[in-house]
Amino acid sequence: MGGAMAAGMVASRRLRDLLTRPLTASNHPGLSISLRLTGSSAKQEASGVALGEAPDHSYESLRVTSVQKHVLHVQLNRPNKRNAMNRVFWREMVECFNKISRDDDCRAVVISGAGKVFTAGIDLMDMASDIMQPRGDDVARISWYLRDLITRYQETFTVIEKCPKPVIAAVHGGCIGGGVDLVTACDIRYCAQDAFFQVKEVDIGLAADVGTLQRLPRVIGNQSLVNELAFTARKMMADEALSSGLVSRVFPDKEVMLDAALALAAEISSKSPVAVQGIKVNLLYSRDHSVAEGLNYMASWNMSMLQTQDLIKSVQAATEKKELKNVTFSKL
C-alpha cells in the first residue's frame, strides 16, 4: 500500500511539473493537435493501407473490416437488396456491436452502406410474417409476443448507443425508415450530397417504434420539424439535414465522405480512450438527466478516471510538441 501511495505521489508531482510549464499555442503547437490528411496520404490513411476482415466478425448482412489501427468499418452489406433490414440483420447488429464494445483494441467505428444507398429500411418481404401473423392463441399472448419482438428490435440500435466507442454514421443515397432509427443512435453523422432521410413508417401504417421518435427530437431540437417528417414521410435532403443539425457535414460524394469519416475516426482513436469513452458515457447520461444530476455523475466518474496515466501522457505530449497519434495509450 505504501508503494502505491508513493507511486501516486510521484505521478502527481510529475503531472504538476508538466502543468506548471508555460504552455502557449505559439510555443507549443501540440496544444492544438489535429489530424490533417491531405492529398494521396489522406486517402491512404483514411481508407486504410490494407483492408482486412476484422477477426471474430463474420456475418451475412454486415461486413466488418479493420481499416486502420483502432478503427473498425461496419458496412450494411446487402447491396442487391438496397441494404434492407432482414431478420438476420436485426440479430447480427446486436452481436456485432456487443463484440465491438468488448474489443479493447477498437476506439472508433464508422458505419456505412454498401452499394447505391445506405439502407431502404425494413425488409417487408422477410419480416411480414413476424408482424402480420404474430404467434399467440389470444390477444394477450399475441401482445406479449409483439412486445418482446419490438423490444428486441429496439436493442438492435440501442446497442450502438450503449457501445462506449464513438460511432460515426456515413450516409449516402437513401436512409429510409429503420435507417433513421440507426443513424440517430450514432454519435456523429456525415452524409453525401445525394443522401436523403425519410421517416417512412407512417406510409406502411405504423408509428416508428425502434428509436426515431425518441432520439430524433433530441438530435435536431426542433419538435415541429420532427412532427412534420414523422406525420408525412417526406424526404429530408442533405442540405436540410445539415441546416437542421441531423448531420454535421455534407460531402460531394460517397468516396469523399467515407475518407472524411475514416479520417475523423482516426483522429478520435488517437486520443486517450479513457477520455473519449468517458465523454460518450457522460454526454448520454447528461442528455437524459438534469444538469445537477449530470454534474454529480461526472464528479463521481472523474474521481477515478483522473487517476489515469493517460492524463500525464497527454499533457507531456503537448509540452513536447508531440502528436497524440504517436503516443501509446493502454488498451481499454
Side-chain angles (χ1 to χ4, degrees):
M1 181 154 180
M5 289 179 63
M9 291 175 65
V10 169
S12 296
R13 283 198 298 271
R14 185 179 176 196
L15 179 58
R16 186 181 65 239
D17 291 343
L18 290 169
L19 289 172
T20 52
R21 294 181 189 178
L23 299 176
T24 63
S26 59
N27 293 334
H28 297 277
L31 287 173
S32 56
I33 296 170
S34 63
L35 192 65
R36 304 184 187 279
L37 301 175
T38 57
S40 59
S41 62
K43 185 167 292 188
Q44 187 179 56
E45 287 196 52
S47 301
V49 176
L51 289 176
E53 301 297 324
D56 301 322
H57 287 281
S58 178
Y59 309 109
E60 291 180 32
S61 66
L62 305 171
R63 180 175 182 239
V64 182
T65 52
S66 180
V67 292
Q68 51 199 328
K69 191 175 182 181
H70 305 309
V71 175
L72 290 177
H73 182 192
V74 178
Q75 286 180 291
L76 310 188
N77 194 34
R78 301 183 72 215
N80 294 334
K81 297 291 185 178
R82 300 173 69 220
N83 296 323
M85 300 170 174
N86 61 354
R87 284 191 188 92
V88 173
F89 165 85
W90 296 92
R91 183 185 73 250
E92 289 185 338
M93 278 287 287
V94 176
E95 181 184 349
C96 175
F97 275 90
N98 279 335
K99 285 181 179 180
I100 290 172
S101 294
R102 297 189 298 267
D103 183 353
D104 59 10
D105 197 47
C106 176
R107 297 182 186 174
V109 182
V110 173
I111 184 164
S112 70
K116 295 181 179 180
V117 301
F118 183 74
T119 177
I122 190 170
D123 187 334
L124 287 172
M125 298 299 292
D126 188 66
M127 308 287 292
S129 61
D130 286 345
I131 299 169
M132 305 299 292
Q133 298 174 322
R135 295 198 300 267
D137 295 333
D138 56 24
V139 171
R141 287 167 177 81
I142 292 171
S143 297
W144 275 104
Y145 168 81
L146 286 173
R147 190 180 195 283
D148 177 68
L149 185 71
I150 293 166
T151 54
R152 281 190 283 116
Y153 288 168
Q154 288 173 342
E155 184 64 17
T156 296
F157 303 132
T158 297
V159 75
I160 298 173
E161 200 170 75
K162 288 179 179 177
C163 176
K165 290 77 186 285
V167 181
I168 303 161
V171 179
H172 75 289
C175 179
I176 301 167
V180 180
D181 295 292
L182 190 161
V183 301
T184 52
C186 296
D187 303 292
I188 298 168
R189 287 162 294 278
Y190 281 179
C191 77
Q193 191 65 56
D194 69 348
F196 66 87
F197 302 83
Q198 194 172 16
V199 185
K200 186 69 172 171
E201 284 82 354
V202 70
D203 278 352
I204 57 172
L206 57 88
D209 56 5
V210 290
T212 290
L213 301 186
Q214 292 69 40
R215 295 188 177 100
L216 186 58
R218 296 170 185 262
V219 169
I220 67 176
N222 184 332
Q223 190 66 52
S224 177
L225 179 56
V226 171
N227 293 350
E228 178 188 337
L229 295 170
F231 292 152
T232 66
R234 77 163 176 85
K235 294 179 181 179
M236 173 188 271
M237 309 309 289
D239 290 341
E240 186 182 7
L242 178 63
S243 64
S244 70
L246 178 57
V247 301
S248 50
R249 296 184 69 185
V250 177
F251 297 88
D253 56 44
K254 179 182 178 181
E255 182 181 359
V256 175
M257 174 196 62
L258 271 177
D259 281 351
L262 292 167
L264 177 63
E267 181 175 5
I268 292 169
S269 71
S270 74
K271 317 292 186 185
S272 157
V274 171
V276 170
Q277 294 181 37
I279 289 168
K280 176 166 180 175
V281 168
N282 280 275
L283 282 173
L284 288 169
Y285 184 91
S286 294
R287 181 196 67 183
D288 299 331
H289 295 79
S290 69
V291 172
E293 289 170 323
L295 288 169
N296 184 59
Y297 190 82
M298 187 77 250
S300 298
W301 184 274
N302 261 5
M303 66 189 283
S304 54
M305 295 302 118
L306 286 176
Q307 300 179 65
T308 177
Q309 288 292 313
D310 292 14
L311 180 59
I312 296 171
K313 290 179 179 180
S314 297
V315 173
Q316 187 171 12
T319 63
E320 295 175 356
K321 307 178 186 179
K322 185 178 181 182
E323 292 189 345
L324 285 177
K325 66 180 180 179
N326 297 319
V327 176
T328 300
F329 295 111
S330 297
K331 294 182 178 182
L332 180 64

